[in-house]
Amino acid sequence: MTEPEIVTAIKNMSAKFTVKRDHITDYVLDHRQVSAYAAFYLPTNIPKLHFLLSKLPEDILEDFKNRPFIDMGAGPGTFSLGYKMLMNIGNHVEMIAVDTAQIMLDQATKLMNGFFPGSKFQTVRKYSEKKSNSILFFGHSINEMGIDKAQDQIMTIDPEYVMWIEPGTSEFFHDIKKLRTQILESYDVIYPCPGNAGCPSDWCHQVLRTSHDQSIERLSQMVSLDRKILPMVAHVYRKKQKAAVDNGPVTIRFMTETKFSFEYEVCMQNENGDNRNVVIEIQKKQLSKIDSKAFKNADVGERLNFEIEKQIQEKLRVKLKREE
Ligand SMILES: C[S@@+](CC[C@H](N)C(=O)[O-])C[C@H]1O[C@@H](n2cnc3c(N)ncnc32)[C@H](O)[C@@H]1O
C-alpha cells in the first residue's frame, strides 16, 4: 500500500475504534485494513508491553520464560511478536495466537515467520482447551469481545497468569473493574494494584510516554493520532497463592509540579489491607537533578517505595526509599 492509502485506512479504522464496540469489528475482514493496522498499531502497541514487563518483579519475569503464551485476539500478532522479542524467549516456547479473523492470523503468521523463523507459533480461530501452565494475554481484545467472553476464556483455559493491555478510557475502565473483581476469586493481582482488596478508583489507567521510529512519527502526524502518549489499562494476575499480597504503592495520576515538589495521586494499602487513593508530595530537595528530570517525564503507573514523613491536611509528604 502507498502511504496515502495507509493514511486513509487508518483514519477510517480509528474513527471506528472510538465508537461503540458493536461497530468496530468489520476492519478485520479487509486485507488492506489489516495491513494498515499492522503498519501503524503494531509498532506503536509493542512499547506498551515493554512498559508493562518493566513493572514486574524479576522472579515473575523468570517464571514467564518457558510458559506457553496465548495471545487472545492477537490481530496481526502484535503482542506475540513483542513478547518474543522483549523476553528473548527461545523457539521451543509454545506461542498460540487466537483470533476470529483469519486475515489477521495470516498477517500474524507472515510477520512471525519473517522476523522469527523457526518459532513454535501456531494460529487458531478458537481456543477452548485447558492450559494451566500458560500465560493468557489479551491485547485490545477484551474491548471487542466483552468481559463475559473474556471471563469464559479465562475459566476454560485456566492459565497460571492472566495479562491484559486494553484501552485507557474511563468507559472501558468500568468494565475492566468488574472483570478484575471476578477474577480475583481465583487470582492474585501482581500489577498495578497494591493488593487484592476492592478498587477505590473510578478511573485508573497507566500512561506511557514514548517516541517511535521517524517513519511512524510521520504516519501518526498524517493521521492526527498521538502515539507518543499512550494511555492504557495494563494488568497482570497470577493464580492465587497462600501469601498475602502487598505490591506497594503505584502512581495513578500526575497532579502538579510546584517549585518545590511533585504531587501524584497514588493507590496504596492502608493498615487494614484496603486499597485507597491518596495524594502524595515528593519534595524536590530529596531528588538529584537527574531524578528530578526523570520525575518530570515519568510514566503513570510507576511503583514507588516511600515512607510517610507527615500528613498535611489530605496530602501525605513522603520520603522516597532508595533501592539497596
Ligand atoms: C484491536 S485488535 C487487537 C489486535 C492486537 N492484539 C493488538 O493489540 O494490536 C482486536 C482483535 O480481537 C479480535 N477478536 C475480537 N473478538 C474476538 C473473539 N471473541 N475471539 C478472538 N478474537 C477476537 C479481532 O478479530 C481483532 O483482530
Side-chain angles (χ1 to χ4, degrees):
M1 291 170 82
T2 62
E3 197 176 55
E5 285 171 334
I6 296 179
V7 168
T8 308
I10 296 169
K11 280 188 173 162
N12 281 337
M13 229 179 304
S14 75
K16 288 177 190 158
F17 286 146
T18 53
V19 296
K20 275 192 92 57
R21 185 182 300 138
D22 345 333
H23 301 277
I24 48 182
T25 44
D26 58 347
Y27 70 97
V28 304
L29 304 174
D30 182 278
H31 274 106
R32 300 171 76 77
Q33 299 257 350
V34 166
S35 295
Y37 184 96
F40 184 61
Y41 286 101
L42 183 146
T44 56
N45 277 344
I46 287 179
K48 297 180 183 176
L49 182 62
H50 180 267
F51 168 91
L52 180 56
L53 294 173
S54 76
K55 303 293 173 275
L56 302 183
E58 275 304 317
D59 58 325
I60 300 282
L61 292 175
E62 199 50 43
D63 190 46
F64 276 3
K65 284 212 164 129
N66 292 309
R67 292 182 180 276
F69 182 79
I70 305 175
D71 187 356
M72 185 60 65
T78 311
F79 290 108
S80 298
L81 284 162
Y83 188 77
K84 175 97 183 159
M85 175 179 78
L86 295 167
M87 294 290 290
N88 198 16
I89 51 171
N91 278 350
H92 65 284
V93 174
E94 201 181 347
M95 304 190 83
I96 304 164
V98 189
D99 204 294
T100 38
Q102 187 59 44
I103 305 180
M104 280 291 190
L105 294 178
D106 293 345
Q107 178 77 87
T109 305
K110 196 169 168 183
L111 289 169
M112 185 61 93
N113 289 345
F115 283 109
F116 300 104
S119 305
K120 200 171 175 187
F121 181 65
Q122 55 163 314
T123 57
V124 286
R125 300 197 51 185
K126 190 172 167 19
Y127 193 84
S128 43
E129 287 164 38
K130 190 176 166 98
K131 202 154 188 83
S132 307
N133 60 343
S134 64
I135 300 168
L136 175 58
F137 184 89
F138 297 87
H140 312 103
S141 55
I142 301 178
N143 185 39
E144 288 191 22
M145 72 179 71
I147 56 167
D148 293 341
K149 189 93 192 217
Q151 203 196 355
D152 284 352
Q153 293 282 13
I154 297 167
M155 282 170 66
T156 310
I157 298 173
D158 191 33
E160 178 67 16
Y161 290 95
V162 179
M163 296 167 79
W164 61 66
I165 293 177
E166 293 287 334
T169 60
S170 56
E171 301 80 38
F172 188 61
F173 184 71
H174 185 71
D175 283 358
I176 224 64
K177 195 167 155 177
K178 272 195 221 149
L179 183 60
R180 174 188 184 273
T181 309
Q182 286 158 0
I183 72 167
L184 281 174
E185 286 171 21
S186 331
Y187 287 83
D188 288 330
V189 66
I190 291 177
Y191 182 83
C193 319
N196 285 346
C199 168
S201 307
D202 294 328
W203 182 20
C204 163
H205 66 297
Q206 295 70 48
V207 184
L208 165 64
R209 288 166 211 283
T210 188
S211 58
H212 305 282
D213 184 84
Q214 272 192 350
S215 60
I216 302 289
E217 300 276 353
R218 181 183 148 86
L219 204 50
S220 84
Q221 272 181 4
M222 290 169 89
V223 295
S224 313
L225 288 174
D226 180 8
R227 301 298 281 172
K228 285 187 178 168
I229 298 178
L230 295 172
M232 67 188 117
V233 174
H235 287 204
V236 180
Y237 300 84
R238 182 186 198 168
K239 266 276 166 63
K240 247 193 197 327
Q241 312 227 312
K242 288 203 181 84
V245 175
D246 185 2
N247 297 321
V250 66
T251 59
I252 58 168
R253 194 165 296 131
F254 172 72
M255 305 290 286
T256 185
E257 178 185 352
T258 69
K259 201 166 175 200
F260 303 106
S261 65
F262 292 103
E263 289 184 13
Y264 276 93
E265 188 170 14
V266 297
C267 191
M268 59 189 281
Q269 281 184 324
N270 66 11
E271 44 307 325
N272 304 324
D274 293 328
N275 296 321
R276 61 182 180 136
N277 293 165
V278 188
V279 176
I280 60 162
E281 179 193 283
I282 302 164
Q283 290 199 305
K284 287 182 182 171
K285 66 180 181 199
Q286 62 175 295
L287 302 172
S288 67
K289 272 209 170 111
I290 294 174
D291 285 350
S292 217
K293 201 165 169 208
F295 262 100
K296 262 190 213 300
N297 303 313
D299 299 327
V300 175
E302 299 284 359
R303 281 245 180 274
L304 289 182
N305 190 4
F306 56 74
E307 60 192 49
I308 298 166
E309 283 190 322
K310 69 171 162 187
Q311 176 141 10
I312 309 159
Q313 290 157 353
E314 297 297 295
K315 260 187 275 176
L316 298 179
R317 180 173 290 170
V318 304
K319 185 169 184 341
L320 295 176
K321 284 197 206 162
R322 307 275 159 205
E323 303 248 323
E324 294 296 300

